[in-house]
Amino acid sequence: MSKKSRRGLVRVSYFAAVSLALVLLWLPEISHYYVPIRSLPDSLNMRTFTEPVHLEEALDTKLITLLRFKTDDQWLAAADNLLVGQLIVPGFNPLSIDLQFDPVDLTKGLPTVQLVYASLAAPDILLRAYEISGNPKYFTAAKQFMVSFCIYERRQWLEQGFLWNDHAIANRAEVLIRLWKNYLAQQVIDKRFESLFFIAIMRHADFLAKSDLFTVATNHGVIQNLALLQLAGAFPLMPDVDRYRAVAFDRLKTQIPFYINVEGVVLEHSAGYHADGAALLSSALALSKINHLSPPADWYMREQNAQRFLTNLARPDGSLPVFGNTEWQPYSDLAGRQPIDARSLYPGAGYAVWWDGLAASPKPAHLAQTVVAWSLYPGHGHNLADEMSLMIWAHGVSWLGNTGYWPYGVAGQSEATGWGGSNAPHAPNEPEKSARHVTLNGFVNSKKMDWLDLERHNDDGFNVRRQLIKLSDLVWLVLDSSNSQLSKDLTRTWTFHPNLTLQVVHPGKNYRLISTTDDQRAMSVFFSGSSPPVVQSVREQMLPFAGWTVFDRKPRPAPALVVNQKGAGQWTMSTFALETALVRSLSSMPVMTEWHDPEHFAISMNVDGSSIKVARQGQQLAFSSNGSDNISEIVAVPNQQALREPVDRAFAQAVRQYPHFKEVFAYRLRYTEWLAGLALILEGFFGLIRLRFRVLESRLRIALGLAWIATGSWLSFYYLTI
């Protein structure tokens, strides 16, 4: 071989090494999302895979819906908007789209809008409008959209927008089933469409069954499994159906022990996601039956307990206490539920729910709900910084809560999920993800009062304690203190319903909340402390974050009071006293008459003309009214860790079995640009040395070729996986 040929071979090998480095950089991304395209064999007929009854059974099971249309007219109006290129869904900003499907639409709008679009909301709305009206224009438009989408999707190597998002793929299963059900009703044969549809359902089933696409830690994984069971139930004779059933069912058996604990609580730190999770577990049981699978016996127990917890959480108007990713507006399917338990405690999950007035009357005007949340399961879904927060609903009014479910992609999200988005006590500027745990020290439920004692310990030595004292359905005392030796202030943000007007009675000490919908409803708010706390009335503030709620997926300003206590080892008392048209329950500010430490103190006040004293001496609580004493022993909860251990063990095993794929698409793209730029620079360098040092050029190309391969391997298989 001549020198010229050898130099040419070196150059070709070098360019191959550069190309290989770029391929190695993208190989994990491509292989992560790759599933084979399976064409419909000539020997198979798509129509033999199912019967209409199977399709209906599968569609009767519900996953988490993103479409909140309540009436047929709303579905039809949304479908008509689509026919003129407007996707308008309650809670989301309108989106202009091409009804023939345009890939550009996948990346339009906020992340939540992209999820809605990639979930095939457009054809879903059109198909439902067709079922309501029988008008073929809706079905024709849905079918055309789906054909274009399926052709595009199968040709892709890399994800665009939410094309292959776990939630979006799972949501599309129901749309595919609905499309096939309505196609069969046409009584026409379209071989091209049937071939495309076969590819689509097989690809979606393979996506849902693929191990490294499985999101085991959250409800997304549960939805993936249920969507796979939906497809298996709808098409019971499809290829590989037994494998799909086994994969989905086995993974559910891995998830359920840590997703919903034995108390029946969905461990995703949110009332809203508990409602979703309870429905998902009911769907899991229904889909198990459809697919002729036998669920473990404890699933039925967990489902029953989950429904009971949900009934205890739901208010008569259908609203839920706002902790975690929950919104303030009522949920229509929860309205009218009657609470079951006057007092319920969930020490394993980390919740207490108290109802007052159940015995006297089921009418909302006579009921009051108190909820305290201290749930903390790191790694589980929707974990916000809100442990030990308090929610109050009373006499038909939601008085007190947290900010709620801030929409993804909207300014303020990182602040809303931090401590400022809740009324939990914390240190100023405390990180949202600080390493910490919460302990329930004890509780009392008696005729005279209810008491809850919680304590949060941070790994850095900071600790804070919150004790809630509820004297009746009219007065709540919240005592926050810190025994930390660290020199940190203690603060909390009390967020109220937007329909409440906040009045200043005595700055820093006394405020009044008045319902704008019923001026006979009011609440007095008092603050005191070991030294006078600094109280700031805030509304619609981003930094520091305060004064926000979320309704129908949109942030809404609300009145809030930020209360800060200076110095370590201090105490702060916040008092909330409900008023009615006839009685102003608390005639003056409660007074801390004695304070030694969080377990030895006394509080005096006047309630409805009665002189009341509440005192704690160690593990005993004393309630005195006009000289009459009532002593209660604080009840300890010794088995808290025992309730957590099975959950933690199951979760740890699951995440080891199904490791999470680190999505670094943006980084791969950035490094691709850098490497391409470096390759061009090196070519310029080679051009310069080629004029006089051709032998050196060849040697450098060989060395750098190996370096390119090593760099691509290091970036892809080490650096980008850390």
Side-chain angles (χ1 to χ4, degrees):
M1 181 182 293
S2 66
K3 291 182 178 180
K4 183 177 181 180
S5 298
R6 285 199 298 270
R7 286 196 296 270
L9 180 60
V10 168
R11 288 195 190 98
V12 170
S13 300
Y14 172 79
F15 292 134
V18 174
S19 301
L20 179 59
L22 294 175
V23 169
L24 289 171
L25 180 60
W26 285 98
L27 185 61
E29 193 86 17
I30 294 171
S31 63
H32 177 65
Y33 290 111
Y34 174 76
V35 297
I37 296 174
R38 297 206 267 176
S39 299
L40 180 64
D42 293 335
S43 59
L44 294 179
N45 185 338
M46 182 70 214
R47 293 169 175 264
T48 64
F49 292 171
T50 189
E51 296 289 341
V53 63
H54 300 140
L55 301 172
E56 292 290 354
E57 286 178 340
L59 289 173
D60 283 342
T61 58
K62 302 300 179 186
L63 307 187
I64 296 178
T65 181
L66 299 172
L67 305 179
R68 295 178 178 174
F69 299 108
K70 299 177 182 178
T71 66
D72 289 351
D73 288 342
Q74 290 178 344
W75 285 104
L76 293 172
D80 289 335
N81 288 327
L82 281 169
L83 294 179
V84 295
Q86 292 293 311
L87 176 60
I88 301 177
V89 176
F92 299 101
N93 294 328
L95 185 69
S96 295
I97 67 169
D98 184 343
L99 201 55
Q100 298 298 315
F101 177 73
D102 185 342
V104 173
D105 294 336
L106 283 166
T107 54
K108 286 183 179 178
L110 295 171
T112 47
V113 176
Q114 294 179 27
L115 173 61
V116 169
Y117 183 80
S119 297
L120 298 181
D124 191 12
I125 292 168
L126 292 166
L127 290 169
R128 291 173 188 267
Y130 171 69
E131 293 174 353
I132 293 167
S133 68
N135 192 325
K137 67 180 181 181
Y138 298 126
F139 176 78
T140 300
K143 181 182 173 185
Q144 290 175 345
F145 185 101
M146 290 293 291
V147 167
S148 299
F149 172 82
C150 291
I151 291 173
Y152 167 81
E153 186 277 329
R154 73 179 186 182
R155 292 175 176 172
Q156 301 312 298
W157 288 94
L158 296 172
E159 185 177 30
Q160 184 172 0
F162 280 64
L163 179 65
W164 293 322
N165 172 266
D166 50 8
H167 197 174
I169 294 172
N171 287 343
R172 295 202 291 258
E174 183 176 335
V175 183
L176 288 167
I177 296 168
R178 192 176 301 279
L179 175 65
W180 186 251
K181 184 195 80 167
N182 288 288
Y183 169 75
L184 289 181
Q186 305 296 304
Q187 296 184 341
V188 297
I189 296 178
D190 183 341
K191 289 293 187 182
R192 176 174 177 270
F193 170 76
E194 293 184 15
S195 178
L196 284 172
F197 186 84
F198 173 83
I199 294 172
I201 64 163
M202 295 306 298
R203 279 183 64 78
H204 280 75
D206 287 338
F207 270 122
L208 292 167
K210 191 173 182 181
S211 177
D212 60 345
L213 287 173
F214 178 47
T215 309
V216 69
T218 72
N219 68 80
H220 287 209
V222 176
I223 297 170
Q224 287 174 295
N225 290 326
L226 297 186
L228 189 53
L229 288 176
Q230 276 186 322
L231 289 175
F235 303 100
L237 297 179
M238 68 190 296
D240 289 343
V241 69
D242 289 337
R243 179 174 70 86
Y244 295 143
R245 286 183 179 130
V247 167
F249 199 56
D250 287 345
R251 294 190 315 201
L252 275 175
K253 287 190 285 187
T254 298
Q255 284 187 291
I256 295 300
F258 67 80
Y259 180 61
I260 301 180
N261 76 348
V262 294
E263 296 168 322
V265 180
V266 175
L267 301 177
E268 294 209 327
H269 311 98
S270 310
Y273 274 96
H274 175 81
D276 290 334
L280 290 177
L281 184 52
S282 297
S283 293
L285 294 172
L287 284 166
S288 297
K289 182 177 180 180
I290 291 170
N291 285 279
H292 310 291
L293 301 168
S294 300
D298 70 292
W299 286 16
Y300 294 96
M301 176 268 292
R302 292 173 197 257
E303 194 267 346
Q304 184 179 18
N305 290 345
Q307 291 297 334
R308 189 181 188 104
F309 180 52
L310 179 59
T311 299
N312 286 331
L313 284 178
R315 288 87 171 257
D317 62 358
S319 66
L320 292 170
V322 181
F323 57 85
N325 281 335
T326 305
E327 296 184 52
W328 281 74
Q329 81 278 354
Y331 295 70
S332 58
D333 57 335
L334 297 178
R337 290 202 178 202
Q338 179 67 20
I340 299 172
D341 303 305
R343 299 290 181 271
S344 52
L345 182 68
Y346 305 87
Y351 299 102
V353 184
W354 303 335
W355 280 97
D356 288 279
L358 291 181
S361 171
K363 295 180 179 180
H366 299 93
L367 295 176
Q369 183 201 57
T370 305
V371 176
V372 184
W374 64 95
S375 185
L376 181 58
Y377 282 86
H380 294 228
H382 304 280
N383 180 20
L384 310 186
D386 64 357
E387 301 95 76
M388 307 197 301
S389 56
L390 167 67
M391 284 62 63
I392 297 175
W393 179 96
H395 293 188
V397 177
S398 185
W399 297 95
L400 181 64
N402 298 319
T403 293
Y405 201 164
W406 199 267
Y408 293 106
V410 174
Q413 182 187 352
S414 60
E415 291 78 14
T417 59
W419 292 103
S422 79
N423 61 54
H426 60 280
N429 301 315
E430 182 178 349
E432 173 189 351
K433 299 297 184 182
S434 57
R436 58 191 186 265
H437 67 276
V438 184
T439 302
L440 171 61
N441 291 328
F443 70 95
V444 168
N445 295 131
S446 69
K447 292 182 179 180
K448 299 295 183 180
M449 64 180 171
D450 295 285
W451 193 302
L452 201 66
D453 183 0
L454 295 164
E455 192 163 8
R456 173 164 67 88
H457 298 268
N458 287 24
D459 287 0
D460 66 0
F462 176 71
N463 80 293
V464 58
R465 195 162 183 170
R466 169 164 283 184
Q467 298 181 64
L468 171 64
I469 309 161
K470 190 186 68 61
L471 300 184
S472 66
D473 63 333
L474 298 178
V475 179
W476 295 260
L477 304 173
V478 184
L479 184 59
D480 294 333
S481 59
S482 173
N483 291 336
S484 174
Q485 299 304 311
L486 301 177
S487 180
K488 291 187 178 182
D489 299 346
L490 200 59
T491 189
R492 77 287 295 146
T493 300
W494 298 109
T495 302
F496 308 106
H497 195 285
N499 290 340
L500 298 175
T501 298
L502 180 62
Q503 295 180 341
V504 180
V505 179
H506 191 300
K509 292 184 178 181
N510 186 198
Y511 298 81
R512 195 163 183 256
L513 295 163
I514 301 175
S515 172
T516 57
T517 58
D518 183 354
D519 58 10
Q520 295 187 9
R521 302 285 186 239
M523 176 178 279
S524 292
V525 183
F526 301 92
F527 299 108
S528 60
S530 47
S531 60
V534 178
V535 182
Q536 182 184 8
S537 178
V538 176
R539 185 182 183 92
E540 201 174 352
Q541 179 176 287
M542 277 294 175
L543 291 174
F545 186 89
W548 291 96
T549 55
V550 178
F551 279 79
D552 203 17
R553 301 188 177 107
K554 295 180 180 179
R556 182 174 168 185
L561 292 170
V562 180
V563 183
N564 189 45
Q565 189 75 50
K566 296 288 186 180
Q570 304 286 318
W571 61 264
T572 307
M573 184 163 60
S574 306
T575 304
F576 304 92
L578 195 65
E579 304 173 16
T580 67
L582 300 177
V583 178
R584 188 169 182 185
S585 60
L586 200 60
S587 56
S588 62
M589 179 186 296
V591 176
M592 183 74 72
T593 56
E594 298 177 34
W595 174 269
H596 300 287
D597 57 50
E599 297 184 0
H600 300 84
F601 59 86
I603 304 168
S604 296
M605 70 202 82
N606 191 293
V607 179
D608 293 345
S610 298
S611 177
I612 290 177
K613 180 179 180 181
V614 177
R616 176 171 183 176
Q617 292 296 321
Q619 293 304 104
Q620 285 191 334
L621 302 177
F623 176 90
S624 302
S625 178
N626 293 331
S628 176
D629 293 340
N630 185 281
I631 306 296
S632 299
E633 292 286 338
I634 294 177
V635 180
V637 185
N639 62 339
Q640 294 173 68
Q641 190 57 34
L643 289 169
R644 287 189 62 103
E645 282 178 356
V647 173
D648 293 339
R649 186 167 55 250
F651 183 79
Q653 180 179 345
V655 295
R656 284 195 303 269
Q657 185 176 355
Y658 300 99
H660 177 67
F661 176 75
K662 187 178 181 181
E663 182 54 75
V664 288
F665 182 93
Y667 288 97
R668 294 186 199 278
L669 191 60
R670 182 188 304 172
Y671 290 131
T672 298
E673 294 170 350
W674 290 356
L675 292 176
L678 178 61
L680 291 174
I681 293 171
L682 288 175
E683 279 307 302
F685 171 71
F686 287 139
L688 291 175
I689 67 172
R690 186 181 305 131
L691 299 175
R692 297 185 61 182
F693 306 104
R694 290 193 172 186
V695 174
L696 179 60
E697 179 199 357
S698 296
R699 291 175 178 175
L700 283 174
R701 283 189 184 274
I702 293 172
L704 288 175
L706 295 173
W708 275 104
I709 296 173
T711 299
S713 301
W714 178 77
L715 282 173
S716 188
F717 302 113
Y718 177 72
Y719 182 74
L720 291 177
T721 63
I722 299 176

